[in-house]
Amino acid sequence: MGIPVNFDSVSLDGILSDWVAALREFSVEAVVILGPDPFGGSEDRQVVAVHPPVVAEAAKALAESRDFGARWRDSDAPLVAWQTISRTDPEHSSRWRMLWLAHGYQTVVRVEFSLPAGRAFECFMFSPRELTDRAEAAALAWSALNIWPQVRRSIAVARSTLSPRERECLELAFQGLTARESSQRLLCSERTVNYHLANAMSKLKVDNKMAAIQRACWLGAI
């Protein structure tokens, strides 16, 4: 499992730091973002970002668990979850819960941002106290929804190896445009569009445009 991208991205880490600072009003002191492994199976997740860094190992344990994973989405569960992890039975508790409890956290609120083909980005907000009512959890979910577009753009820049032109060609293909239509939109030749699409497919380790679009979505690139 790779290093969280915010460890190498000053911009993304700054966004997360400011977000956690704002969430301290609700006693939230840690944020974790999980994303699909673009080259793995349907249940394989990666720690995309985590703040503060001291909880990185606990975040990794969460990503390696099956909690809130593919089966969660298959069950038609809500996209927002709130759990008081301190109330779980220690004898049957997941490793990630034990690690977060060891760091002093008691509550987690999760917000899911769905992606194509059953994948998702997942944002977890951890608090060292129990939330008193649903209104507090709702306020945290609203905060995640508000900041997510900015966070996702920063993740895409830090995580993707695609060039801006390659992303642009994939975005137009995602919208249903042919290479010829994309070339007209971009004021270039059809051959140039196909060249960028071929480069994108090579970087994403696939052999067709649809699979490239899916993996680019899983990376947050489009």
Side-chain angles (χ1 to χ4, degrees):
M1 190 168 295
I3 297 173
V5 294
N6 65 300
F7 287 8
D8 293 321
S9 171
V10 175
S11 173
L12 177 57
D13 199 58
I15 293 171
L16 296 179
S17 178
D18 291 344
W19 185 20
V20 170
L23 290 176
R24 287 203 175 97
E25 175 185 352
F26 303 97
S27 298
V28 168
E29 295 183 2
V31 169
V32 174
I33 297 173
L34 302 185
D37 181 347
F39 307 109
S42 62
E43 294 194 15
D44 294 331
R45 301 183 291 182
Q46 297 177 329
V47 181
V48 177
V50 54
H51 187 88
V54 70
V55 295
E57 185 63 27
K60 181 181 177 182
L62 174 58
E64 291 173 346
S65 77
R66 288 294 181 253
D67 293 355
F68 309 109
R71 294 187 183 88
W72 174 270
R73 287 186 285 282
D74 291 342
S75 69
D76 294 325
L79 300 184
V80 178
W82 162 28
Q83 288 189 6
T84 304
I85 57 179
S86 60
R87 294 183 183 175
T88 57
D89 182 354
E91 293 186 3
H92 301 91
S93 187
S94 302
R95 178 172 177 266
W96 72 266
R97 288 188 171 88
M98 300 303 292
L99 288 174
W100 283 99
L101 286 170
H103 281 288
Y105 293 94
Q106 297 189 56
T107 305
V108 60
V109 173
R110 170 189 176 274
V111 182
E112 176 179 308
F113 299 93
S114 299
L115 293 167
R119 268 66 164 186
F121 280 110
E122 302 164 88
C123 174
F124 295 83
M125 293 162 281
F126 289 87
S127 172
R129 71 171 179 85
E130 290 190 23
L131 301 185
T132 57
D133 55 47
R134 292 181 181 273
E136 287 187 295
L140 293 178
W142 182 249
S143 169
L145 291 171
N146 276 324
I147 201 169
W148 180 245
Q150 183 182 2
V151 171
R152 179 167 177 166
R153 284 193 298 270
S154 189
I155 286 173
V157 171
R159 197 179 186 210
S160 174
T161 60
L162 299 173
S163 72
R165 205 58 159 175
E166 289 161 359
R167 287 201 304 271
E168 198 169 19
C169 289
L170 283 175
E171 286 172 358
L172 293 175
F174 182 71
Q175 294 171 23
L177 274 66
T178 64
R180 176 174 295 181
E181 291 168 337
S182 295
S183 69
Q184 294 170 350
R185 180 80 62 87
L186 299 174
L187 302 177
C188 64
S189 69
E190 185 176 348
R191 182 177 179 181
T192 297
V193 171
N194 284 325
Y195 169 78
H196 289 305
L197 288 173
N199 281 346
M201 287 186 283
S202 176
K203 290 179 179 179
L204 295 169
K205 302 178 182 179
V206 293
D207 57 7
N208 66 81
K209 187 166 58 178
M210 180 59 69
I213 290 169
Q214 278 194 350
R215 286 194 173 176
C217 288
W218 298 343
L219 283 166
I222 61 175

